[in-house]
Amino acid sequence: MRQSHIQLFTKTAVLSAAVAGVMMLSGCDKKQEAVTLNIGFQKYGVLPILKERGTLETSLKEQGVNVKWVEFPAGPQLLEGLNVGSVSFGEAGEAPPIFAQAANSNLVYIANQPAAPKAEALIVKKDSAIQNIQDLKGKRVVLNKGSNVHYLLLKVLEANNLKLSDIEVVYLPPSDARAAFERGAVDAWVIWDPFFAAAEHQIGARVIATGENIVSNHQFYLADRKFAEVNPQIIEAVVNELNLTTEWVSAHQDEAAKLLEKPTGLAFDVLKTSISRMGFGVQPLTTDVIQKQQQVADAFYAQQLIPQKLNIDAAIIK
């Protein structure tokens, strides 16, 4: 009898230890399964508004996902961060992902905002003698090389039977371009919002042409391919929150502008103008959007801005 009790105790102890071991292993597994979504963002756009509102954290908390925000000065740097693994998700315009893909990046296109052609333009100073695109012949036009507006300039010239060789192109980043534009070192500036809106409000810049009826000017949401393939439910939740955010921004443009005043350092009226020209809604890429992005890539290849012809469709998860 005594031996039977000892055997029972031993079996119970072994079973308890086994259960405890399973629970510990299960706890370890849960800890290992915890996911942190590192999001790359810039000072202006939908992502910083999403960050300020905090709705994504609430949505992903149900999935046990932590959100970390990493700020970048511009799209190319953000996509470099995506390529080296410091972020898994981010936003950029049409041009940066093309250059990133040309450099064999691991990015994939996830979604886009609707076209926003009025959010970029070719502008001149308010007292400039330039009245139309034909007046640009022989003039100095400044822009950020390989950016969305580089494509805009190509298409604007093409629509007016001009070529790049008909003008003198000066390549400068936005802050330097603004300085050159103000002091008259260049005759025209091709630029996007919110820099475009700032030039209108602050120095009375005059619009010669926007992208309307010429280019699409999409904003794209991109992700690390492996992260997107392993975590489709997280990506789906992010896209849903982005779409809801743009719906909120569309209906609350004043509030959205106020949210961006501090991070951007721009005045309310500048931000209000910029936001009014956004594309509202975030949806997965359609065949039409992919084709339009392919056209941008082909144009950059024709200008020898990228080393080889790209297939945009190869950067889409099927």
Side-chain angles (χ1 to χ4, degrees):
M1 192 76 173
R2 183 183 178 91
Q3 186 177 4
S4 176
H5 278 299
I6 292 172
Q7 288 175 338
L8 181 60
F9 175 80
T10 302
K11 288 180 181 178
T12 302
V14 170
L15 181 60
S16 297
V19 171
V22 169
M23 291 177 68
M24 287 177 67
L25 286 172
S26 177
C28 288
D29 286 346
K30 285 181 180 178
K31 193 169 184 180
Q32 289 171 354
E33 289 172 3
V35 175
T36 295
L37 173 61
N38 294 315
I39 300 178
F41 73 103
Q42 301 173 56
K43 292 181 186 296
Y44 175 79
V46 176
L47 280 175
I49 294 174
L50 179 61
K51 175 180 179 291
E52 291 296 321
R53 297 187 72 214
T55 56
L56 181 62
E57 285 83 349
T58 302
S59 174
L60 290 180
K61 189 176 181 181
E62 298 174 5
Q63 297 186 35
V65 179
N66 300 314
V67 179
K68 180 181 178 183
W69 298 88
V70 184
E71 186 178 327
F72 291 88
Q77 293 91 330
L78 191 157
L79 293 185
E80 177 60 25
L82 191 73
N83 194 39
V84 301
S86 60
V87 294
S88 300
F89 189 90
E91 175 188 6
E94 294 166 335
I98 289 172
F99 287 90
Q101 187 181 351
N104 298 313
S105 175
N106 57 357
L107 68 81
V108 287
Y109 291 83
I110 297 297
N112 65 277
Q113 289 172 226
K118 294 181 181 180
E120 58 181 9
L122 189 153
I123 59 177
V124 296
K125 295 178 74 172
K126 59 184 177 182
D127 57 353
S128 172
I130 296 172
Q131 298 297 321
N132 54 52
I133 300 301
Q134 292 296 329
D135 290 341
L136 291 175
K137 285 183 180 179
K139 304 298 185 183
R140 290 167 60 85
V141 180
V142 66
L143 70 146
N144 194 68
K145 186 175 183 179
S147 64
N148 291 15
V149 293
H150 201 151
Y151 183 63
L152 172 61
L153 178 61
L154 292 175
K155 300 305 287 183
V156 164
L157 293 174
E158 181 183 295
N160 288 272
N161 299 311
L162 295 175
K163 298 176 291 186
L164 278 179
S165 57
D166 291 320
I167 63 173
E168 183 180 348
V169 182
V170 179
Y171 295 122
L172 291 174
S175 58
D176 294 335
R178 166 77 180 251
F181 182 72
E182 285 196 62
R183 68 173 183 267
V186 295
D187 302 291
W189 184 18
V190 198
I191 190 58
W192 62 89
D193 277 331
F195 303 104
F196 166 29
E200 286 183 295
H201 284 271
Q202 295 168 355
I203 57 175
R206 183 161 49 83
V207 176
I208 297 298
T210 70
E212 191 172 17
N213 300 318
I214 300 173
V215 298
S216 298
N217 189 35
H218 285 110
Q219 283 295 114
F220 289 104
Y221 295 94
L222 308 116
D224 170 81
R225 179 181 288 274
K226 184 177 180 181
F227 184 92
E229 290 175 343
V230 173
N231 301 284
Q233 72 287 355
I234 296 176
I235 296 298
E236 183 180 356
V238 174
V239 172
N240 182 59
E241 284 300 323
L242 284 166
N243 186 44
L244 291 173
T245 299
T246 62
E247 289 179 358
W248 178 85
V249 171
S250 179
H252 303 83
Q253 295 188 23
D254 286 2
E255 292 169 65
K258 289 174 183 176
L259 281 179
L260 291 175
E261 280 183 297
K262 185 175 180 180
T264 63
L266 292 171
F268 173 82
D269 57 348
V270 171
L271 291 165
K272 182 74 182 295
T273 296
S274 297
I275 289 170
S276 71
R277 296 192 286 228
M278 275 185 177
F280 299 110
V282 176
Q283 300 294 332
L285 274 68
T286 63
T287 300
D288 180 62
V289 171
I290 294 170
Q291 289 175 346
K292 284 184 168 62
Q293 184 70 345
Q294 184 67 55
Q295 290 168 6
V296 179
D298 292 345
F300 284 168
Y301 175 66
Q303 292 294 322
Q304 299 182 327
L305 292 169
I306 54 176
Q308 74 271 354
K309 189 173 176 63
L310 291 184
N311 176 14
I312 297 299
D313 198 57
I316 309 292
I317 294 180
K318 304 303 180 184

